[in-house]
Amino acid sequence: RERTQFLDYETLSGSAGLSLFFHQRTAVVLDAVFTDIIYESERPGEASRESEDWRFLIGLTWEATAKTSGSIRVGIQRRQFDDAARAQTSNPSWEVDVRWSPREYSHFDFATSRRNEETFGEGAFIDISDYEVAWTHEWSEGWESDISWFRSDSVFVGSPRDEDLNELS
């Protein structure tokens, strides 16, 4: 507990979204997310990790046909630290989720995202990019197969630590 007490934090979050339908099955979407990160105690001699995180995304959601649906949103994520000793950052941000169903019983899913998360150790925060491709096929009632590949790249900003995860299932 002596070493981990400096990782305890609380968040206060709020979000707002706007969808403007310009076609029966297509909408322009705008999202804004605010998170205030407050640490309970600070490590002596280290710059504070308390910050405000803003994320703005704009994009489209659609259900083009019975075969294709999805959402693509791109934008920016900005982290502003309370302590001037930590650099302010602005990174591209995105969320993409697309499903293609060539048959009623067979689906291909494609997803990717980039976002910031709080660190659980090193660095000021974690810049995470995820990618996933999956195929689901229902062979008959009660018999289904799922094949997927997932990759996550995590950069611990302000630290030499970098984690890459590849998962095939």
Side-chain angles (χ1 to χ4, degrees):
R1 184 71 189 136
E2 223 174 274
R3 291 189 316 240
T4 61
Q5 68 179 325
F6 306 111
L7 300 176
D8 293 345
Y9 66 91
E10 294 179 5
T11 60
L12 175 63
S13 296
S15 63
L18 177 65
S19 294
L20 300 169
F21 286 91
F22 67 90
H23 187 270
Q24 184 179 8
R25 296 180 176 193
T26 307
V28 173
V29 292
L30 177 64
D31 292 322
V33 180
F34 168 78
T35 306
D36 189 18
I37 299 119
I38 305 151
Y39 279 82
E40 293 179 15
S41 60
E42 301 291 337
R43 191 180 310 267
E46 187 177 289
S48 173
R49 289 186 189 169
E50 289 194 357
S51 62
E52 291 181 350
D53 193 80
W54 287 91
R55 188 174 189 209
F56 300 100
L57 297 170
I58 187 168
L60 295 171
T61 60
W62 74 91
E63 188 176 328
T65 65
K67 291 185 177 190
T68 308
S69 63
S71 172
I72 296 176
R73 296 181 295 167
V74 296
I76 192 164
Q77 188 159 6
R78 181 179 186 95
R79 183 164 289 224
Q80 185 170 348
F81 289 94
D82 294 352
D83 193 327
R86 291 201 186 266
Q88 312 309 311
T89 61
S90 291
N91 295 323
S93 186
W94 64 79
E95 290 182 5
V96 176
D97 190 7
V98 177
R99 171 170 268 197
W100 176 55
S101 303
R103 300 276 185 245
E104 214 175 89
Y105 49 83
S106 191
H107 312 286
F108 291 91
D109 294 299
F110 309 92
T112 181
S113 67
R114 182 175 180 185
R115 67 197 179 283
N116 294 337
E117 287 186 3
E118 276 310 287
T119 185
F120 45 82
E122 299 177 38
F125 63 94
I126 309 169
D127 182 6
I128 301 173
S129 297
D130 292 333
Y131 310 90
E132 184 172 17
V133 177
W135 174 54
T136 305
H137 188 85
E138 188 177 319
W139 299 96
S140 63
E141 194 171 318
W143 290 95
E144 183 177 278
S145 63
D146 296 304
I147 298 172
S148 68
W149 169 74
F150 174 79
R151 177 175 175 84
S152 181
D153 299 324
S154 299
V155 176
F156 289 69
V157 176
S159 165
R161 184 174 178 179
D162 187 6
E163 289 183 1
D164 296 327
L165 170 70
N166 278 294
E167 186 177 284
L168 182 62
S169 61

